[in-house]
Amino acid sequence: EKFLNPRPPVVCILGHVDHGKTTLLDTIRKANVVAGEAGGITQHVGAYQIEHGDQKITFLDTPGHAAFSKIRERGANLTDVSVLVVAADDGFMPQTDEALKFAQRAQGTLLVAINKMDVKGADAEKVKTQMQERSIAPEDWGGEIVTVPVSALKGDNVDDLLDMIFLQAEVMELKANPDAASEGVVVEARQEVGRGATAVVIVQKGTLKVGDSIHCGSVYCKVKAMIDDQGNQVKSAPPSTPVNILGWSGVPEAGAIFKGAQNERAARKESEEFQLTEKQVVALPAEDTEEAVSGVDALFAAISKSKKTSCRVILKADVRGSLEALEESLGLIESEKVILEILQGDIGQVTKNDIKMANTSEADVIGFNVKLENGVIGEAKHLGVRVFQNNIIYEIIDLVRDNMADMLEPELVEK
């Protein structure tokens, strides 16, 4: 206990798409992230730290779009306080309910911010009634949930919201040991041009410094540089601080835990041991849990599978979380006659190797929020490979669905 020091609260902003989560954060940070979003929706996790008075708060901004449930769940699990943003004119929507479930499962403290109070048809009482129905009664109705009506665009009551967050954090008595071996969580990871693999992490205990060695799953890192959310280089990151780390051997998994090591050799050894154990897990013979399928059945199954057309794709995305969301959303496309096969999903630009692989396996290449390497278009034309690019996730999902529909054979009806 005597080594523990108070740490800033980590706050996650959850809610339905277009209810104003990013705008609220922009007002708090006095920045403008919304303007740069493709299609006006957030598709990544943003991690920011702000100072209010003399105290700090770390914020995680999560996407509200239906496809990103994994990212929202991870955001809720990392945090001490969850702020559920509900628009006063819309009330509770499907992703609001889903985010509420994640926040309750994560067992942090919950606050509700009723946003868009300046809009025509804003009705805070309606939202409070809906809260009552979901058995999270607001404070002024005798419940326990702190509810703050705000207007993110005009900045009304935003300070009250911050004060409430501090109040909740004080009650929780959040502490961490700044001198322990560093440990934390990877929030998002990507491959950047000119920087290599980078990862945004939140330090949970210990202090991470430039030059430290850390390992995370099958990759390791000697910290070359750390960059905060404003783009400034920092030398050290105490608990609850979000930083972007440069110097990874590969792109780490989003949501994975990183741990400090004594030196680079130790970190590399840890990551190699992790790879070995993973390979062993893969190499174990699959047990025959199902009863042996009789020869005839197996034959029929093989015949029906060969009759199905398969649509093969190779995915390239800008960050781990988006790749995960994309694979999950594409997996939900149901079709009886066309099978969707994702041959490979990776981070970074679309390269000539992707085109060659797509050519040999007769697949399409799909890039989400990524650029093409030089000469890729020529190679693709030469080999007859189709390459699709888009910055908005639901447009990619529609595109794959249309491609699958094009592969269906025409139904012949004789009259």
Side-chain angles (χ1 to χ4, degrees):
E1 290 255 326
K2 63 179 182 187
F3 294 118
L4 297 180
N5 289 355
R7 64 176 178 79
V10 180
V11 181
C12 181
I13 301 222
L14 299 159
H16 192 76
V17 64
D18 273 346
H19 275 196
K21 296 179 294 300
T22 309
T23 314
L24 179 63
L25 257 186
D26 284 348
T27 309
I28 295 172
R29 295 178 59 225
K30 301 177 177 60
N32 193 356
V33 179
V34 175
E37 303 277 12
I41 61 168
T42 305
Q43 311 194 78
H44 301 142
V45 175
Y48 311 109
Q49 190 165 45
I50 64 128
E51 285 189 15
H52 178 65
D54 51 354
Q55 295 164 295
K56 291 183 173 175
I57 313 187
T58 297
F59 279 105
L60 283 187
D61 183 18
T62 60
H65 195 266
F68 296 102
S69 64
K70 274 267 183 58
I71 300 186
R72 274 196 293 281
E73 185 164 13
R74 193 157 52 234
N77 288 340
L78 285 177
T79 49
D80 312 306
V81 181
S82 302
V83 175
L84 193 62
V85 176
V86 188
D89 53 346
D90 277 353
F92 274 72
M93 302 288 271
Q95 267 72 53
T96 321
D97 285 333
E98 186 208 48
L100 174 65
K101 279 198 200 91
F102 291 150
Q104 286 172 329
R105 213 178 300 155
Q107 293 178 340
T109 311
L110 181 69
L111 285 165
V112 175
I114 305 178
N115 191 18
K116 305 197 180 180
M117 288 304 289
D118 53 326
V119 178
K120 227 186 183 162
D123 185 359
E125 297 304 307
K126 178 180 114 185
V127 176
K128 288 180 182 173
T129 313
Q130 288 176 322
M131 283 169 65
Q132 192 91 29
E133 286 162 9
R134 287 165 176 72
S135 68
I136 49 165
E139 256 190 346
D140 47 350
W141 288 23
E144 302 197 332
I145 305 294
V146 176
T147 315
V148 188
V150 294
S151 160
L153 265 182
K154 297 194 171 160
D156 302 342
N157 281 5
V158 171
D159 283 349
D160 295 357
L161 180 66
L162 293 177
D163 293 337
M164 284 300 169
I165 292 172
F166 278 124
L167 204 65
Q168 299 291 344
E170 262 173 48
V171 175
M172 294 169 81
E173 294 188 344
L174 306 167
K175 288 181 175 169
N177 181 356
D179 305 322
S182 57
E183 191 179 302
V185 179
V186 176
V187 179
E188 194 59 282
R190 66 179 81 196
Q191 188 80 27
E192 287 186 46
V193 182
R195 280 183 177 176
T198 67
V200 176
V201 304
I202 285 189
V203 182
Q204 287 180 320
K205 62 182 194 194
T207 302
L208 192 63
K209 298 183 185 72
V210 175
D212 284 0
S213 296
I214 53 178
H215 60 90
C216 173
S218 57
V219 295
Y220 64 94
C221 167
K222 184 166 195 249
V223 181
K224 281 186 190 164
M226 294 192 293
I227 296 165
D228 66 6
D229 58 82
Q230 306 283 341
N232 309 320
Q233 292 215 6
V234 286
K235 289 280 184 270
S236 70
S240 291
T241 312
V243 281
N244 192 1
I245 299 182
L246 277 64
W248 294 90
S249 61
V251 180
E253 287 291 325
I257 304 260
F258 75 82
K259 290 188 171 155
Q262 283 187 317
N263 51 31
E264 196 173 353
R265 194 189 297 126
R268 181 185 289 142
K269 194 172 163 218
E270 286 281 350
S271 61
E272 280 166 1
E273 277 172 11
F274 181 86
Q275 281 171 344
L276 282 174
T277 51
E278 265 209 335
K279 276 185 186 145
Q280 282 165 349
V281 173
V282 174
L284 286 175
E287 292 175 23
D288 296 333
T289 42
E290 298 167 32
E291 287 141 39
V293 183
S294 65
V296 182
D297 287 352
L299 191 66
F300 276 121
I303 290 171
S304 72
K305 191 172 177 191
S306 68
K307 275 188 181 168
K308 283 187 181 177
T309 333
S310 74
C311 169
R312 300 190 184 95
V313 293
I314 292 174
L315 300 179
K316 293 296 282 250
D318 55 346
V319 299
R320 276 271 179 225
S322 306
L323 184 66
E324 195 179 65
L326 216 109
E327 284 175 347
E328 203 171 303
S329 306
L330 293 179
L332 295 177
I333 299 178
E334 286 172 10
S335 165
E336 288 175 11
K337 295 183 177 162
V338 181
I339 309 169
L340 179 69
E341 288 182 55
I342 299 176
L343 299 182
Q344 189 187 357
D346 209 1
I347 310 291
Q349 292 182 308
V350 178
T351 63
K352 288 187 180 173
N353 282 350
D354 296 330
I355 303 293
K356 283 176 184 145
M357 184 175 164
N359 179 38
T360 47
S361 52
E362 297 182 351
D364 294 337
V365 179
I366 292 179
F368 173 52
N369 233 341
V370 291
K371 295 191 167 74
L372 305 177
E373 238 180 38
N374 286 345
V376 162
I377 295 178
E379 183 95 358
K381 272 189 182 155
H382 177 62
L383 296 172
V385 174
R386 298 193 298 176
V387 180
F388 301 102
Q389 279 173 288
N390 207 316
N391 295 348
I392 300 176
I393 191 159
Y394 49 85
E395 291 186 4
I396 288 194
I397 299 163
D398 293 346
L399 185 133
V400 173
R401 197 179 279 127
D402 294 348
N403 285 354
M404 284 166 72
D406 291 346
M407 297 177 89
L408 292 174
E409 288 181 13
E411 290 179 13
L412 298 176
V413 181
E414 242 175 69
K415 285 193 178 171

